[in-house]
Amino acid sequence: MSAISILLGFCVAVCVICCLALALFRNFYVRLHYLAPVTTVAFVPLLIAVVIREGVGQAAMKSILVFAALLLINAVLTHATARADRVRKLGHWTADPNEQIPGSSISRS
């Protein structure tokens, strides 16, 4: 078994685990967190596999640029998606003074 096969197998395993988590969890905000490993954790071995297979060339440089773009855009897109869902549900994105935020120890009253 080659190093490329192992790296690609790891990528597939991470993607399958994240897909299962998306299917199992029902809370939108929890499900949103399971999209990030696909674009970060699974992409690194894929990038290494491309560099091993193609060498340092045009394909490797394009893969690095795609990885950098995904790394930058992922957090912004996740935050924008969560904010858009909150606005759709509540009509605003700011916290109400009486709102109980799960996991927060700060009292808002």
Side-chain angles (χ1 to χ4, degrees):
M1 187 177 268
S2 69
I4 294 174
S5 299
I6 293 170
L7 290 167
L8 294 178
F10 181 76
C11 290
V12 170
V14 169
C15 292
V16 167
I17 290 169
C18 289
C19 288
L20 288 174
L22 284 173
L24 293 175
F25 290 100
R26 296 290 172 217
N27 184 342
F28 173 77
Y29 298 108
V30 173
R31 291 171 73 185
L32 200 55
H33 287 289
Y34 287 101
L35 297 173
V38 174
T39 58
T40 54
V41 176
F43 202 96
V44 173
L46 179 65
L47 180 62
I48 295 170
V50 168
V51 171
I52 291 172
R53 172 79 166 86
E54 298 296 326
V56 181
Q58 185 178 7
M61 292 303 138
K62 285 182 182 179
S63 298
I64 291 169
L65 288 174
V66 168
F67 176 67
L70 284 175
L71 202 59
L72 293 172
I73 293 170
N74 185 31
V76 174
L77 185 60
T78 301
H79 182 80
T81 304
R83 182 181 273 193
D85 182 67
R86 183 169 173 84
V87 168
R88 183 180 59 84
K89 287 179 182 173
L90 302 177
H92 57 86
W93 65 272
T94 57
D96 289 330
N98 298 326
E99 183 177 14
Q100 183 65 15
I101 300 173
S104 175
S105 61
I106 299 172
S107 176
R108 295 200 169 265
S109 50

